[in-house]
Amino acid sequence: MYIGYKNKTLEKVCNDPRFAFKKLSIKSPDDLFKRLRDLSGFEYLADVPVQPPFRRHKLTGKRNKQWSI
């Protein structure tokens, strides 16, 4: 599945563990990278489960054509 990013900074946070550690102020960005690795394993958004841990759901309001995970 294609994973897009809103801007270059977010893309760098999601692809560079040292930068993520510095920007997110968390002890270990491993959870973020594990989630991205898991999501890239799905071929389509419909394949992502609605049950935890992914909890795929449709957004509402102005973002009603978008999904969140």
Side-chain angles (χ1 to χ4, degrees):
M1 169 183 342
Y2 168 76
I3 298 175
Y5 303 96
K6 186 174 182 175
N7 56 47
K8 292 288 184 183
T9 302
L10 182 58
E11 183 175 3
K12 191 170 180 181
V13 165
C14 293
N15 291 311
D16 184 352
R18 291 184 309 179
F19 190 74
F21 178 78
K22 190 178 350 177
K23 278 295 222 189
L24 299 177
S25 300
I26 55 177
K27 289 186 179 182
S28 174
D30 292 341
D31 292 341
L32 169 65
F33 296 110
K34 182 181 181 304
R35 177 61 62 97
L36 289 170
R37 188 174 50 249
D38 291 345
L39 288 175
S40 66
F42 293 108
E43 191 169 344
Y44 301 104
L45 181 62
D47 296 339
V48 178
V50 294
Q51 304 90 345
F54 293 104
R55 298 182 289 276
R56 172 181 54 96
H57 60 281
K58 192 167 180 115
L59 298 176
T60 59
K62 292 181 183 178
R63 302 179 86 189
N64 65 348
K65 294 182 181 179
Q66 297 177 347
W67 292 81
S68 178
I69 299 174

